[in-house]
Amino acid sequence: MRWTRQLTEDVVLRPVTLDDAAALATAYADSWLHLAPWEPERPASWFTAEGQRREVEAHQRATGEGAGLWLVLVEQTTVVGRVSLTGIVRRAFQSANLGYWTAATHTGRGLMTRAVDAAAAIARDELGLHRLQAGTLLHNVASQRVLRRCGFTEIGVAERYLRIGGRWQDHRLFQRILHD
């Protein structure tokens, strides 16, 4: 499958499909206590297979339009994370925003570092992008470590950048230039 990468012996990074909807709903529900501090508030439907099916359909439309790419980390049939390239802008900019999360059961293994590196390679080599940008909450040191390991550099702080946990919060912004 296009854009698929083997991250470890057991975990594959690949494009999200409609067949992943139930597994995504389970992954979000099972890891919500871990993810909630870093995520926007979500409606109850977010944690259902039908809610995730609607999300995946929207992601697939956006991918088809060249506006983004959504990938899942899968261990056998279990979704253990997600990486997204969103807001792809072409022409002179050739840039996208990077987002990601790991299931609570799979943190601290270097898995997301591998996934972010793989997504950056896809962005550069297959999507022809020049730059990726990512933002983290100021206190999300683990995510900042992933970005730095993957060659991202800090470019500043954006005040009240995203509405996370029900309130506008400052974010530390990073970028990675993919082409010299």
Side-chain angles (χ1 to χ4, degrees), residues 94-142:
Q94 297 296 335
S95 186
N97 292 301
L98 171 75
Y100 52 88
W101 60 263
T102 308
T105 55
H106 285 69
T107 61
R109 300 179 184 187
L111 192 56
M112 193 49 66
T113 299
R114 289 185 196 98
V116 167
D117 266 339
I122 291 168
R124 180 191 63 231
D125 301 336
E126 298 183 43
L127 300 178
L129 297 179
H130 169 71
R131 178 182 173 277
L132 292 179
Q133 177 175 305
T136 72
L137 287 168
L138 299 181
H139 59 283
N140 191 344
V141 177

Side-chain angles (χ1 to χ4, degrees), residues 45-180:
S45 62
W46 181 262
F47 304 95
T48 67
E50 179 59 26
Q52 285 303 306
R53 187 186 64 74
R54 286 190 300 271
E55 288 293 315
V56 171
E57 287 173 340
H59 297 333
Q60 289 180 329
R61 279 192 303 277
T63 296
E65 295 165 0
L69 177 62
W70 286 262
L71 306 164
V72 287
L73 287 76
V74 179
E75 185 177 61
Q76 296 169 9
T77 59
T78 303
V79 171
V80 298
R82 194 183 78 185
V83 176
S84 58
L85 301 174
T86 61
I88 293 176
V89 178
R90 294 295 183 174
R91 304 181 68 107
F93 202 41
Q94 297 296 335
S95 186
N97 292 301
L98 171 75
Y100 52 88
W101 60 263
T102 308
T105 55
H106 285 69
T107 61
R109 300 179 184 187
L111 192 56
M112 193 49 66
T113 299
R114 289 185 196 98
V116 167
D117 266 339
I122 291 168
R124 180 191 63 231
D125 301 336
E126 298 183 43
L127 300 178
L129 297 179
H130 169 71
R131 178 182 173 277
L132 292 179
Q133 177 175 305
T136 72
L137 287 168
L138 299 181
H139 59 283
N140 191 344
V141 177
S143 189
Q144 292 166 21
R145 239 186 327 253
V146 166
L147 292 171
R148 286 188 176 103
R149 283 186 194 129
C150 293
F152 283 75
T153 57
E154 185 177 335
I155 57 175
V157 173
E159 294 181 11
R160 297 180 298 279
Y161 186 64
L162 291 174
R163 190 170 174 84
I164 302 295
R167 61 187 178 91
W168 292 102
Q169 296 197 49
D170 299 348
H171 279 64
R172 193 168 312 283
L173 300 181
F174 292 81
Q175 71 175 2
R176 178 172 167 184
I177 304 300
L178 303 172
H179 292 107
D180 289 332

